[in-house]
Amino acid sequence: MTSAARRPVRIGVQIAPQHAGYSTIRGVAAELEGLGVDILFNWDHFFPLSGDPDGLHFESWTMLAALAEQTDRVEIGALVNCNSYRNANLQADMARTIDHISAKDTGVGRFIFGTGSGWFERDYDEYGYEFGTVGRRLDSLAENLPVIEKRWGELNPAPTRKIPVLIGGGGEKKTLRIVARHADIWHSFSDASTLERKLGILAEHGAAVGRDTSEIEISTEIAKRSVAEVEEQFDLGATMFTVGITGPHYDLARVHDWLAWRDAKNA
């Protein structure tokens, strides 16, 4: 892909909703929007994923609605929603509602529907969901996405735009097939060599379903990667790069660095 043909580089920051009070999270979100990040993400879990397993933690979707009202420019979403936790039609309606909240005076929403099949067993056990198997959870995601898309076409009022669908995960047999059918954005934690292999597999799935997968935006997590490593991902076509930060003290130093890198790429 030539630089003239590629999408602009975007930086997303995943604010882990753990180990901090909500006023702190609200302040970090405001600071990040002021710095110029492109997207604010949280995650859809009920307990911390690092640090004290019983530490402070907040729920994803209610926080996203608050961020939609608080912010004016950044896109917002979960990285990622857990498909298992909510009925498919309800997910669609919640996404549409946050889309409208985020539109404010512009008329165009800023919500990204990031989703995945779920994996954190404690969430399932403590909140009463059936954990099942990896395969069954992926099958459920594949079954629910058409339901969600259909509901978006039936809601009144309709979404303000085609809500972008981000799918997280790198499973080569099922996940990438779902990505090929439904995703506007594919997110993974792949290094360059893994990303190159998986992009080839994604293209094969796209050919099988009649879709040109070059239209899918490629997103990777870079919080612990070097510039050289990220340059390799960029050369393979990745243009969305996410940086995870966590409480109690959200460190924005790396965010500053990656925003400067983004701006140089987009100059």
Side-chain angles (χ1 to χ4, degrees), residues 75-95:
E75 291 190 283
I76 55 172
L79 195 65
V80 289
N81 168 64
C82 178
N83 175 68
S84 306
Y85 300 162
R86 302 162 193 88
N87 170 279
N89 287 288
L90 176 60
Q91 292 179 56
D93 204 340
M94 292 166 69

Side-chain angles (χ1 to χ4, degrees), residues 12-218:
V13 177
Q14 183 184 48
I15 306 171
Q18 60 180 16
H19 306 309
Y22 189 72
S23 62
T24 297
I25 294 172
R26 182 193 299 115
V28 168
E31 186 173 358
L32 288 168
E33 182 172 44
L35 287 174
V37 302
D38 298 290
I39 310 153
L40 297 180
F41 292 110
N42 62 14
W43 65 39
D44 188 20
H45 295 288
F46 306 130
F47 301 95
L49 300 185
S50 62
D52 179 0
D54 295 314
L56 299 175
H57 197 279
F58 292 97
E59 192 275 330
S60 172
W61 281 84
T62 45
M63 180 181 291
L64 291 172
L67 290 175
E69 186 62 45
Q70 170 188 338
T71 57
D72 295 304
R73 179 191 54 78
V74 289
E75 291 190 283
I76 55 172
L79 195 65
V80 289
N81 168 64
C82 178
N83 175 68
S84 306
Y85 300 162
R86 302 162 193 88
N87 170 279
N89 287 288
L90 176 60
Q91 292 179 56
D93 204 340
M94 292 166 69
R96 181 281 310 258
T97 299
I98 296 177
D99 167 71
H100 275 263
I101 294 170
S102 67
K104 292 190 169 181
D105 297 330
T106 70
V108 179
R110 296 175 283 118
F111 184 72
I112 295 173
F113 182 65
T115 194
S117 59
W119 62 273
F120 190 38
E121 190 167 3
R122 184 184 179 188
D123 284 348
Y124 287 81
D125 292 345
E126 296 215 25
Y127 277 60
Y129 300 109
E130 181 182 353
F131 189 57
T133 65
V134 172
R136 181 63 198 119
R137 293 195 300 276
L138 282 166
D139 289 344
S140 178
L141 178 63
E143 292 161 5
N144 280 359
L145 279 166
V147 175
I148 291 166
E149 292 163 351
K150 181 174 182 289
R151 179 59 58 186
W152 281 337
E154 297 170 343
L155 289 167
N156 184 16
T160 67
R161 64 172 182 169
K162 181 191 181 300
I163 296 175
V165 174
L166 177 155
I167 295 175
E172 296 176 2
K173 292 183 178 180
K174 288 190 174 183
T175 302
L176 291 182
R177 185 170 69 225
I178 297 169
V179 170
R181 286 187 179 276
H182 297 284
D184 300 290
I185 307 165
W186 170 50
H187 179 80
S188 76
F189 294 83
S190 303
D191 59 25
S193 61
T194 303
L195 180 62
E196 185 172 24
R197 185 183 77 252
K198 290 183 184 292
L199 286 171
I201 295 167
L202 178 60
E204 292 173 2
H205 284 303
V209 301
R211 186 176 183 200
D212 177 4
T213 55
S214 68
E215 68 188 35
I216 299 172
E217 187 171 13
I218 306 304

